[in-house]
Amino acid sequence: MQIDGKHWTTIWLCDDGISVGVIDQSKLPHQFSTKILRSCNDACKAISNMVVRGAPLIGVTAAYGLMLAVQEDPSDKSIEEASNQLFHSRPTAINLAWAIERVSKKLSLVDKSQRAYIAKKEAGLIAEEDISICKAIGHHGYQLFEEIASSRGPERVMEPLRVLTHCNAGWLATVDWGTALAPIYKWHRNGRKVHVWVDETRPRNQGASLTAFELASEGIPHKVVVDNAGGYLMQKGMVDIVIVGTDRTTSCGDVCNKIGTYLKALAAKDNKIPFYVALPYSSIDWSIKDSSLIPIEIRSEKEVAYIEGKSISQNSKGNSSVVRLIPEESQSYNPGFDITPVRLVSGFITEKGFVQPGGGFSEKLFSI
Ligand code: MRU
């Protein structure tokens, strides 16, 4: 995607052919900077400190992390240790385990002397595939937008399509294009009108900081709303579709995504507004049927107790500033994700096409 007229992806192999560059998302939206990952440890830290985040990008970073480990030491022991360390860098997004398994399987088939080459090739492939997958999701989502826009009747044909999204499932959460935001980009680039309601997504503010940054960079009309505004907007008929990404979806169709997604799905159901989930197949957990078994990341209390932003005070104008929000005596609790049961989901947009929830969902996933 474009930033100041330059095309960026979120992750890339550096010109030296051995280190990996990433956009440092922990500094956005006020500072655009990049970081170089030179070891598996660097990749793990980038994932756990949310320098990179978003399920598909976490997966791609883990693949490159394994490449960095193998470049240093291609032994079985090193691969096992690196896989283990990467696997524990964040618990919820299934793409992490998916990518580690895919690369380590390839490595197990070749001699040690070949492993650095194979790891680089496989990580590069995963990154390239992620771009085409997201483009395909964008293509299918575009058709859905077309249906929803025309179902509003001819008198509203000139009005923008009003989309509400939660967290960041845009290009910053993938290598490029994004999942839930990909159809929005396609729609906008085709000259169609759109307006996006961006949930701020407390406590890490991925909506306010990242989704808003992306949409602003592409010149797409949007407004950031507090997380609790979605129900009001839906009751007032100000939303045509809700579209979100996912960190892990079970083969029954229950959707694990950023905390607060469930409440949006409930409000959408109550107001008869379509609620769609955009996802690559790598976000499907085929091994879990009971979504209560999905490990939900419990993050630091500090993320709730404090907030960081750009200072507007005279003395420190423009500098980053952290303030405490809650009383010194109060504690906080910070679950990172929740589960939206499949009964609240209108449909899934995958790289292969649409899948409707309901009877034989996992068979449908196989058959498209
Ligand atoms: O904690 P984060 O920022 O990694 O959470 C990201 C999300 O919840 C996204 O919605 C999800 O990963 C889908 S991204 C295409």
Side-chain angles (χ1 to χ4, degrees), residues 163-219:
V163 184
L164 184 139
T165 189
H166 191 68
C167 194
N168 172 259
W171 71 274
L172 289 167
T174 63
V175 177
D176 205 351
W177 286 96
T179 56
L181 294 198
I184 296 173
Y185 289 128
K186 293 248 173 203
W187 190 256
H188 177 72
R189 287 188 182 187
N190 259 11
R192 309 294 297 269
K193 284 190 194 162
V194 64
H195 179 274
V196 187
W197 297 111
V198 178
D199 282 353
E200 63 174 346
T201 321
R202 278 280 290 150
R204 291 288 299 213
N205 295 309
Q206 288 93 330
S209 315
L210 305 176
T211 301
F213 172 81
E214 286 192 20
L215 295 173
S217 303
E218 285 283 316

Tab-separated table of all heavy atoms in Angstrom, residues 163-219:
chain	number	residue	atom	x	y	z
A	163	VAL	N	-19.352	1.134	6.068
A	163	VAL	CA	-18.762	-0.090	6.601
A	163	VAL	C	-18.248	0.177	8.007
A	163	VAL	O	-17.607	1.204	8.238
A	163	VAL	CB	-17.553	-0.521	5.726
A	163	VAL	CG1	-16.989	-1.847	6.206
A	163	VAL	CG2	-17.939	-0.613	4.258
A	164	LEU	N	-18.533	-0.745	8.932
A	164	LEU	CA	-17.933	-0.623	10.268
A	164	LEU	C	-16.917	-1.744	10.443
A	164	LEU	O	-17.183	-2.899	10.075
A	164	LEU	CB	-19.007	-0.700	11.352
A	164	LEU	CG	-18.489	-0.485	12.785
A	164	LEU	CD1	-19.471	0.392	13.584
A	164	LEU	CD2	-18.274	-1.797	13.523
A	165	THR	N	-15.737	-1.409	10.962
A	165	THR	CA	-14.736	-2.453	11.212
A	165	THR	C	-14.127	-2.293	12.597
A	165	THR	O	-14.129	-1.198	13.167
A	165	THR	CB	-13.651	-2.481	10.108
A	165	THR	OG1	-12.836	-3.641	10.282
A	165	THR	CG2	-12.765	-1.242	10.141
A	166	HIS	N	-13.633	-3.408	13.118
A	166	HIS	CA	-13.076	-3.429	14.473
A	166	HIS	C	-11.610	-3.844	14.380
A	166	HIS	O	-11.247	-4.684	13.563
A	166	HIS	CB	-13.861	-4.439	15.317
A	166	HIS	CG	-13.556	-4.368	16.782
A	166	HIS	ND1	-13.917	-3.285	17.569
A	166	HIS	CD2	-12.921	-5.229	17.601
A	166	HIS	CE1	-13.516	-3.499	18.812
A	166	HIS	NE2	-12.905	-4.669	18.859
A	167	CYS	N	-10.784	-3.270	15.245
A	167	CYS	CA	-9.347	-3.559	15.282
A	167	CYS	C	-8.701	-3.161	13.957
A	167	CYS	O	-9.190	-2.268	13.261
A	167	CYS	CB	-9.090	-5.038	15.609
A	167	CYS	SG	-7.372	-5.360	16.069
A	168	ASN	N	-7.596	-3.802	13.614
A	168	ASN	CA	-6.972	-3.549	12.315
A	168	ASN	C	-6.823	-4.861	11.581
A	168	ASN	O	-6.095	-5.755	12.018
A	168	ASN	CB	-5.601	-2.886	12.457
A	168	ASN	CG	-4.884	-2.801	11.115
A	168	ASN	OD1	-4.004	-3.601	10.815
A	168	ASN	ND2	-5.276	-1.876	10.281
A	169	ALA	N	-7.563	-4.988	10.498
A	169	ALA	CA	-7.409	-6.146	9.611
A	169	ALA	C	-7.098	-5.615	8.224
A	169	ALA	O	-7.611	-6.081	7.211
A	169	ALA	CB	-8.667	-7.006	9.627
A	170	GLY	N	-6.240	-4.607	8.202
A	170	GLY	CA	-5.823	-3.982	6.952
A	170	GLY	C	-4.451	-4.485	6.539
A	170	GLY	O	-3.972	-5.500	7.040
A	171	TRP	N	-3.792	-3.729	5.656
A	171	TRP	CA	-2.523	-4.227	5.113
A	171	TRP	C	-1.450	-4.337	6.191
A	171	TRP	O	-0.549	-5.168	6.095
A	171	TRP	CB	-2.068	-3.406	3.916
A	171	TRP	CG	-1.572	-1.995	4.200
A	171	TRP	CD1	-2.322	-0.883	4.303
A	171	TRP	CD2	-0.199	-1.593	4.377
A	171	TRP	NE1	-1.516	0.210	4.539
A	171	TRP	CE2	-0.218	-0.195	4.579
A	171	TRP	CE3	1.025	-2.252	4.370
A	171	TRP	CZ2	0.949	0.549	4.789
A	171	TRP	CZ3	2.184	-1.521	4.568
A	171	TRP	CH2	2.145	-0.146	4.778
A	172	LEU	N	-1.570	-3.527	7.242
A	172	LEU	CA	-0.566	-3.606	8.316
A	172	LEU	C	-0.665	-4.919	9.088
A	172	LEU	O	0.281	-5.320	9.768
A	172	LEU	CB	-0.726	-2.424	9.275
A	172	LEU	CG	-0.293	-1.064	8.705
A	172	LEU	CD1	-0.775	0.076	9.599
A	172	LEU	CD2	1.222	-0.996	8.510
A	173	ALA	N	-1.808	-5.582	9.013
A	173	ALA	CA	-1.983	-6.862	9.714
A	173	ALA	C	-1.583	-8.052	8.839
A	173	ALA	O	-1.617	-9.194	9.300
A	173	ALA	CB	-3.435	-7.020	10.155
A	174	THR	N	-1.236	-7.760	7.580
A	174	THR	CA	-0.846	-8.820	6.635
A	174	THR	C	0.462	-8.362	5.984
A	174	THR	O	1.159	-7.530	6.548
A	174	THR	CB	-1.967	-9.006	5.583
A	174	THR	OG1	-2.101	-7.796	4.830
A	174	THR	CG2	-3.317	-9.323	6.230
A	175	VAL	N	0.771	-8.865	4.793
A	175	VAL	CA	1.967	-8.339	4.103
A	175	VAL	C	1.558	-7.118	3.277
A	175	VAL	O	2.256	-6.106	3.234
A	175	VAL	CB	2.611	-9.428	3.218
A	175	VAL	CG1	3.810	-8.863	2.460
A	175	VAL	CG2	3.048	-10.611	4.076
A	176	ASP	N	0.379	-7.206	2.650
A	176	ASP	CA	-0.162	-6.094	1.876
A	176	ASP	C	-1.678	-6.312	1.731
A	176	ASP	O	-2.154	-7.427	1.915
A	176	ASP	CB	0.502	-6.053	0.491
A	176	ASP	CG	0.467	-4.662	-0.123
A	176	ASP	OD1	-0.209	-3.777	0.432
A	176	ASP	OD2	1.117	-4.462	-1.169
A	177	TRP	N	-2.422	-5.294	1.456
A	177	TRP	CA	-3.871	-5.322	1.190
A	177	TRP	C	-4.754	-5.553	2.420
A	177	TRP	O	-5.777	-4.923	2.571
A	177	TRP	CB	-4.246	-6.371	0.113
A	177	TRP	CG	-3.851	-5.925	-1.246
A	177	TRP	CD1	-2.687	-6.255	-1.910
A	177	TRP	CD2	-4.569	-5.038	-2.112
A	177	TRP	NE1	-2.660	-5.617	-3.125
A	177	TRP	CE2	-3.790	-4.880	-3.280
A	177	TRP	CE3	-5.788	-4.374	-2.015
A	177	TRP	CZ2	-4.195	-4.070	-4.335
A	177	TRP	CZ3	-6.189	-3.578	-3.075
A	177	TRP	CH2	-5.400	-3.425	-4.213
A	178	GLY	N	-4.403	-6.529	3.283
A	178	GLY	CA	-5.267	-6.803	4.433
A	178	GLY	C	-6.340	-7.828	4.103
A	178	GLY	O	-6.457	-8.305	2.968
A	179	THR	N	-7.141	-8.161	5.119
A	179	THR	CA	-8.251	-9.098	4.904
A	179	THR	C	-9.565	-8.285	4.878
A	179	THR	O	-10.107	-8.021	3.817
A	179	THR	CB	-8.276	-10.190	5.987
A	179	THR	OG1	-8.338	-9.587	7.284
A	179	THR	CG2	-7.053	-11.075	5.898
A	180	ALA	N	-10.016	-7.842	6.036
A	180	ALA	CA	-11.295	-7.102	6.073
A	180	ALA	C	-11.230	-5.782	5.298
A	180	ALA	O	-12.245	-5.314	4.780
A	180	ALA	CB	-11.692	-6.841	7.526
A	181	LEU	N	-10.052	-5.176	5.216
A	181	LEU	CA	-9.968	-3.887	4.506
A	181	LEU	C	-9.715	-4.046	3.011
A	181	LEU	O	-9.882	-3.088	2.253
A	181	LEU	CB	-8.880	-2.991	5.111
A	181	LEU	CG	-9.063	-2.480	6.546
A	181	LEU	CD1	-8.145	-1.292	6.815
A	181	LEU	CD2	-10.489	-2.078	6.864
A	182	ALA	N	-9.327	-5.245	2.571
A	182	ALA	CA	-9.005	-5.424	1.147
A	182	ALA	C	-10.190	-5.056	0.237
A	182	ALA	O	-10.002	-4.338	-0.761
A	182	ALA	CB	-8.525	-6.848	0.885
A	183	PRO	N	-11.439	-5.501	0.564
A	183	PRO	CA	-12.557	-5.110	-0.303
A	183	PRO	C	-12.788	-3.593	-0.320
A	183	PRO	O	-13.200	-3.029	-1.340
A	183	PRO	CB	-13.775	-5.807	0.330
A	183	PRO	CG	-13.237	-6.823	1.269
A	183	PRO	CD	-11.865	-6.398	1.656
A	184	ILE	N	-12.477	-2.955	0.825
A	184	ILE	CA	-12.654	-1.495	0.909
A	184	ILE	C	-11.660	-0.804	-0.048
A	184	ILE	O	-12.005	0.126	-0.784
A	184	ILE	CB	-12.459	-1.006	2.363
A	184	ILE	CG1	-13.550	-1.604	3.252
A	184	ILE	CG2	-12.439	0.519	2.441
A	184	ILE	CD1	-13.400	-1.346	4.745
A	185	TYR	N	-10.403	-1.291	-0.043
A	185	TYR	CA	-9.402	-0.717	-0.958
A	185	TYR	C	-9.808	-0.904	-2.413
A	185	TYR	O	-9.695	-0.002	-3.238
A	185	TYR	CB	-8.020	-1.332	-0.703
A	185	TYR	CG	-7.425	-0.875	0.609
A	185	TYR	CD1	-6.951	-1.785	1.544
A	185	TYR	CD2	-7.350	0.480	0.921
A	185	TYR	CE1	-6.428	-1.365	2.752
A	185	TYR	CE2	-6.824	0.912	2.127
A	185	TYR	CZ	-6.372	-0.009	3.034
A	185	TYR	OH	-5.863	0.422	4.225
A	186	LYS	N	-10.273	-2.110	-2.747
A	186	LYS	CA	-10.679	-2.399	-4.136
A	186	LYS	C	-11.843	-1.483	-4.533
A	186	LYS	O	-11.878	-0.936	-5.634
A	186	LYS	CB	-11.141	-3.855	-4.281
A	186	LYS	CG	-10.035	-4.862	-4.079
A	186	LYS	CD	-9.699	-5.593	-5.362
A	186	LYS	CE	-8.475	-6.450	-5.103
A	186	LYS	NZ	-7.710	-6.803	-6.237
A	187	TRP	N	-12.809	-1.364	-3.638
A	187	TRP	CA	-14.012	-0.560	-3.882
A	187	TRP	C	-13.605	0.898	-4.146
A	187	TRP	O	-14.019	1.508	-5.126
A	187	TRP	CB	-14.896	-0.676	-2.634
A	187	TRP	CG	-16.281	-0.137	-2.712
A	187	TRP	CD1	-16.726	1.023	-2.162
A	187	TRP	CD2	-17.426	-0.750	-3.329
A	187	TRP	NE1	-18.078	1.176	-2.385
A	187	TRP	CE2	-18.529	0.094	-3.106
A	187	TRP	CE3	-17.620	-1.929	-4.052
A	187	TRP	CZ2	-19.818	-0.198	-3.570
A	187	TRP	CZ3	-18.909	-2.214	-4.510
A	187	TRP	CH2	-19.967	-1.363	-4.269
A	188	HIS	N	-12.763	1.415	-3.278
A	188	HIS	CA	-12.321	2.816	-3.389
A	188	HIS	C	-11.508	3.025	-4.676
A	188	HIS	O	-11.705	4.005	-5.399
A	188	HIS	CB	-11.478	3.164	-2.159
A	188	HIS	CG	-10.903	4.538	-2.193
A	188	HIS	ND1	-11.656	5.681	-2.019
A	188	HIS	CD2	-9.622	4.975	-2.399
A	188	HIS	CE1	-10.883	6.746	-2.095
A	188	HIS	NE2	-9.648	6.344	-2.328
A	189	ARG	N	-10.608	2.086	-4.968
A	189	ARG	CA	-9.765	2.250	-6.167
A	189	ARG	C	-10.575	2.136	-7.452
A	189	ARG	O	-10.140	2.595	-8.507
A	189	ARG	CB	-8.625	1.224	-6.165
A	189	ARG	CG	-7.578	1.590	-5.125
A	189	ARG	CD	-6.343	0.735	-5.218
A	189	ARG	NE	-5.417	1.115	-4.155
A	189	ARG	CZ	-4.192	0.649	-4.054
A	189	ARG	NH1	-3.740	-0.215	-4.933
A	189	ARG	NH2	-3.409	1.041	-3.060
A	190	ASN	N	-11.746	1.502	-7.353
A	190	ASN	CA	-12.629	1.421	-8.519
A	190	ASN	C	-13.558	2.621	-8.620
A	190	ASN	O	-14.522	2.597	-9.380
A	190	ASN	CB	-13.487	0.150	-8.439
A	190	ASN	CG	-12.928	-0.935	-9.321
A	190	ASN	OD1	-11.820	-0.833	-9.823
A	190	ASN	ND2	-13.704	-1.986	-9.521
A	191	GLY	N	-13.299	3.613	-7.808
A	191	GLY	CA	-14.080	4.858	-7.880
A	191	GLY	C	-15.418	4.774	-7.184
A	191	GLY	O	-16.272	5.647	-7.365
A	192	ARG	N	-15.647	3.712	-6.387
A	192	ARG	CA	-16.927	3.580	-5.680
A	192	ARG	C	-16.832	4.307	-4.343
A	192	ARG	O	-15.773	4.338	-3.713
A	192	ARG	CB	-17.251	2.094	-5.444
A	192	ARG	CG	-17.153	1.231	-6.678
A	192	ARG	CD	-18.197	1.573	-7.713
A	192	ARG	NE	-19.538	1.337	-7.241
A	192	ARG	CZ	-20.206	0.190	-7.398
A	192	ARG	NH1	-19.645	-0.810	-8.041
A	192	ARG	NH2	-21.434	0.053	-6.938
A	193	LYS	N	-17.969	4.838	-3.888
A	193	LYS	CA	-17.952	5.629	-2.654
A	193	LYS	C	-18.068	4.735	-1.421
A	193	LYS	O	-18.894	3.817	-1.391
A	193	LYS	CB	-19.121	6.612	-2.656
A	193	LYS	CG	-18.892	7.798	-3.564
A	193	LYS	CD	-19.984	8.810	-3.287
A	193	LYS	CE	-20.007	9.844	-4.395
A	193	LYS	NZ	-21.265	10.566	-4.389
A	194	VAL	N	-17.274	5.043	-0.419
A	194	VAL	CA	-17.306	4.271	0.818
A	194	VAL	C	-17.050	5.207	1.992
A	194	VAL	O	-16.343	6.218	1.850
A	194	VAL	CB	-16.261	3.117	0.757
A	194	VAL	CG1	-14.844	3.639	0.659
A	194	VAL	CG2	-16.391	2.164	1.941
A	195	HIS	N	-17.652	4.877	3.127
A	195	HIS	CA	-17.310	5.574	4.364
A	195	HIS	C	-17.094	4.528	5.444
A	195	HIS	O	-17.941	3.649	5.641
A	195	HIS	CB	-18.421	6.544	4.796
A	195	HIS	CG	-18.071	7.230	6.078
A	195	HIS	ND1	-18.351	6.673	7.303
A	195	HIS	CD2	-17.408	8.389	6.326
A	195	HIS	CE1	-17.886	7.474	8.253
A	195	HIS	NE2	-17.308	8.519	7.685
A	196	VAL	N	-15.965	4.600	6.151
A	196	VAL	CA	-15.639	3.560	7.126
A	196	VAL	C	-15.747	4.110	8.552
A	196	VAL	O	-15.152	5.142	8.877
A	196	VAL	CB	-14.208	3.011	6.889
A	196	VAL	CG1	-13.951	1.807	7.795
A	196	VAL	CG2	-13.998	2.611	5.433
A	197	TRP	N	-16.528	3.401	9.371
A	197	TRP	CA	-16.543	3.666	10.816
A	197	TRP	C	-15.440	2.813	11.431
A	197	TRP	O	-15.461	1.589	11.319
A	197	TRP	CB	-17.886	3.266	11.439
A	197	TRP	CG	-19.065	4.033	10.925
A	197	TRP	CD1	-20.076	3.553	10.151
A	197	TRP	CD2	-19.367	5.413	11.166
A	197	TRP	NE1	-20.993	4.551	9.897
A	197	TRP	CE2	-20.586	5.705	10.506
A	197	TRP	CE3	-18.738	6.439	11.867
A	197	TRP	CZ2	-21.185	6.964	10.527
A	197	TRP	CZ3	-19.330	7.697	11.885
A	197	TRP	CH2	-20.524	7.952	11.233
A	198	VAL	N	-14.488	3.473	12.062
A	198	VAL	CA	-13.318	2.772	12.594
A	198	VAL	C	-13.440	2.699	14.117
A	198	VAL	O	-13.335	3.718	14.803
A	198	VAL	CB	-12.023	3.541	12.220
A	198	VAL	CG1	-10.799	2.861	12.809
A	198	VAL	CG2	-11.894	3.689	10.709
A	199	ASP	N	-13.662	1.493	14.652
A	199	ASP	CA	-13.676	1.340	16.120
A	199	ASP	C	-12.272	1.625	16.649
A	199	ASP	O	-11.292	1.042	16.154
A	199	ASP	CB	-14.018	-0.110	16.502
A	199	ASP	CG	-15.499	-0.394	16.382
A	199	ASP	OD1	-16.272	0.538	16.133
A	199	ASP	OD2	-15.869	-1.578	16.541
A	200	GLU	N	-12.173	2.436	17.685
A	200	GLU	CA	-10.821	2.776	18.174
A	200	GLU	C	-10.055	1.537	18.667
A	200	GLU	O	-8.853	1.439	18.531
A	200	GLU	CB	-10.884	3.830	19.277
A	200	GLU	CG	-11.621	3.374	20.514
A	200	GLU	CD	-11.564	4.388	21.664
A	200	GLU	OE1	-10.757	5.325	21.617
A	200	GLU	OE2	-12.328	4.213	22.623
A	201	THR	N	-10.799	0.560	19.244
A	201	THR	CA	-10.213	-0.724	19.669
A	201	THR	C	-9.247	-0.583	20.851
A	201	THR	O	-8.051	-0.900	20.767
A	201	THR	CB	-9.548	-1.486	18.485
A	201	THR	OG1	-10.349	-1.341	17.317
A	201	THR	CG2	-9.371	-2.955	18.818
A	202	ARG	N	-9.798	-0.097	21.934
A	202	ARG	CA	-9.043	-0.077	23.196
A	202	ARG	C	-8.735	-1.505	23.629
A	202	ARG	O	-9.532	-2.403	23.336
A	202	ARG	CB	-9.896	0.626	24.281
A	202	ARG	CG	-9.823	2.131	24.238
A	202	ARG	CD	-8.558	2.682	24.888
A	202	ARG	NE	-8.575	2.512	26.356
A	202	ARG	CZ	-7.458	2.354	27.089
A	202	ARG	NH1	-6.269	2.349	26.525
A	202	ARG	NH2	-7.553	2.199	28.385
A	203	PRO	N	-7.626	-1.785	24.334
A	203	PRO	CA	-6.720	-0.749	24.826
A	203	PRO	C	-5.550	-0.406	23.896
A	203	PRO	O	-4.919	0.615	24.102
A	203	PRO	CB	-6.178	-1.377	26.105
A	203	PRO	CG	-6.144	-2.831	25.814
A	203	PRO	CD	-7.347	-3.105	24.932
A	204	ARG	N	-5.241	-1.250	22.892
A	204	ARG	CA	-4.063	-0.957	22.080
A	204	ARG	C	-4.369	-0.003	20.926
A	204	ARG	O	-3.473	0.407	20.195
A	204	ARG	CB	-3.468	-2.256	21.521
A	204	ARG	CG	-2.828	-3.161	22.537
A	204	ARG	CD	-1.511	-2.622	23.059
A	204	ARG	NE	-0.521	-2.464	22.026
A	204	ARG	CZ	0.792	-2.634	22.207
A	204	ARG	NH1	1.251	-2.999	23.391
A	204	ARG	NH2	1.644	-2.441	21.230
A	205	ASN	N	-5.652	0.284	20.750
A	205	ASN	CA	-6.056	1.274	19.744
A	205	ASN	C	-5.629	0.956	18.314
A	205	ASN	O	-5.254	1.856	17.561
A	205	ASN	CB	-5.549	2.670	20.153
A	205	ASN	CG	-6.197	3.133	21.424
A	205	ASN	OD1	-7.416	3.098	21.557
A	205	ASN	ND2	-5.397	3.522	22.398
A	206	GLN	N	-5.720	-0.306	17.953
A	206	GLN	CA	-5.330	-0.671	16.573
A	206	GLN	C	-6.209	0.018	15.535
A	206	GLN	O	-5.760	0.271	14.412
A	206	GLN	CB	-5.416	-2.191	16.375
A	206	GLN	CG	-4.341	-2.982	17.080
A	206	GLN	CD	-4.794	-3.448	18.445
A	206	GLN	OE1	-5.608	-2.801	19.095
A	206	GLN	NE2	-4.247	-4.548	18.917
A	207	GLY	N	-7.478	0.295	15.908
A	207	GLY	CA	-8.359	0.994	14.963
A	207	GLY	C	-7.924	2.447	14.823
A	207	GLY	O	-7.650	2.932	13.722
A	208	ALA	N	-7.840	3.132	15.984
A	208	ALA	CA	-7.515	4.565	15.980
A	208	ALA	C	-6.117	4.825	15.412
A	208	ALA	O	-5.886	5.828	14.731
A	208	ALA	CB	-7.608	5.102	17.402
A	209	SER	N	-5.160	3.920	15.717
A	209	SER	CA	-3.778	4.185	15.302
A	209	SER	C	-3.472	3.607	13.927
A	209	SER	O	-2.765	4.235	13.151
A	209	SER	CB	-2.776	3.543	16.260
A	209	SER	OG	-3.128	3.768	17.569
A	210	LEU	N	-3.948	2.403	13.645
A	210	LEU	CA	-3.477	1.698	12.448
A	210	LEU	C	-4.491	1.725	11.301
A	210	LEU	O	-4.147	2.091	10.183
A	210	LEU	CB	-3.114	0.241	12.805
A	210	LEU	CG	-2.098	0.111	13.952
A	210	LEU	CD1	-1.873	-1.353	14.315
A	210	LEU	CD2	-0.772	0.765	13.585
A	211	THR	N	-5.751	1.341	11.616
A	211	THR	CA	-6.758	1.359	10.540
A	211	THR	C	-6.941	2.792	10.043
A	211	THR	O	-6.972	3.047	8.834
A	211	THR	CB	-8.093	0.770	11.049
A	211	THR	OG1	-7.841	-0.564	11.497
A	211	THR	CG2	-9.155	0.744	9.964
A	212	ALA	N	-7.035	3.733	10.980
A	212	ALA	CA	-7.210	5.143	10.585
A	212	ALA	C	-5.995	5.621	9.778
A	212	ALA	O	-6.143	6.322	8.766
A	212	ALA	CB	-7.408	6.010	11.820
A	213	PHE	N	-4.796	5.210	10.204
A	213	PHE	CA	-3.571	5.590	9.474
A	213	PHE	C	-3.613	5.061	8.042
A	213	PHE	O	-3.315	5.773	7.077
A	213	PHE	CB	-2.353	5.027	10.220
A	213	PHE	CG	-1.060	5.177	9.484
A	213	PHE	CD1	-0.369	6.375	9.506
A	213	PHE	CD2	-0.523	4.113	8.762
A	213	PHE	CE1	0.835	6.515	8.815
A	213	PHE	CE2	0.662	4.245	8.077
A	213	PHE	CZ	1.350	5.450	8.098
A	214	GLU	N	-4.000	3.791	7.912
A	214	GLU	CA	-4.073	3.182	6.575
A	214	GLU	C	-5.075	3.912	5.678
A	214	GLU	O	-4.788	4.226	4.531
A	214	GLU	CB	-4.557	1.728	6.678
A	214	GLU	CG	-3.562	0.749	7.208
A	214	GLU	CD	-4.050	-0.691	6.984
A	214	GLU	OE1	-4.913	-0.927	6.135
A	214	GLU	OE2	-3.537	-1.586	7.673
A	215	LEU	N	-6.275	4.128	6.235
A	215	LEU	CA	-7.338	4.728	5.418
A	215	LEU	C	-6.969	6.163	5.046
A	215	LEU	O	-7.188	6.596	3.914
A	215	LEU	CB	-8.675	4.673	6.167
A	215	LEU	CG	-9.212	3.252	6.434
A	215	LEU	CD1	-10.448	3.305	7.325
A	215	LEU	CD2	-9.535	2.521	5.133
A	216	ALA	N	-6.376	6.879	6.002
A	216	ALA	CA	-5.965	8.263	5.717
A	216	ALA	C	-4.899	8.271	4.621
A	216	ALA	O	-4.933	9.099	3.701
A	216	ALA	CB	-5.441	8.922	6.986
A	217	SER	N	-3.957	7.325	4.682
A	217	SER	CA	-2.884	7.275	3.675
A	217	SER	C	-3.441	7.004	2.281
A	217	SER	O	-2.860	7.421	1.286
A	217	SER	CB	-1.864	6.180	4.003
A	217	SER	OG	-1.326	6.385	5.266
A	218	GLU	N	-4.564	6.274	2.212
A	218	GLU	CA	-5.179	5.958	0.917
A	218	GLU	C	-6.259	6.968	0.527
A	218	GLU	O	-6.907	6.820	-0.499
A	218	GLU	CB	-5.807	4.559	0.960
A	218	GLU	CG	-4.809	3.423	0.889
A	218	GLU	CD	-4.258	3.148	-0.516
A	218	GLU	OE1	-5.048	3.127	-1.479
A	218	GLU	OE2	-3.041	2.955	-0.626
A	219	GLY	N	-6.490	7.945	1.396
A	219	GLY	CA	-7.506	8.971	1.097
A	219	GLY	C	-8.932	8.433	1.146
A	219	GLY	O	-9.812	8.897	0.412
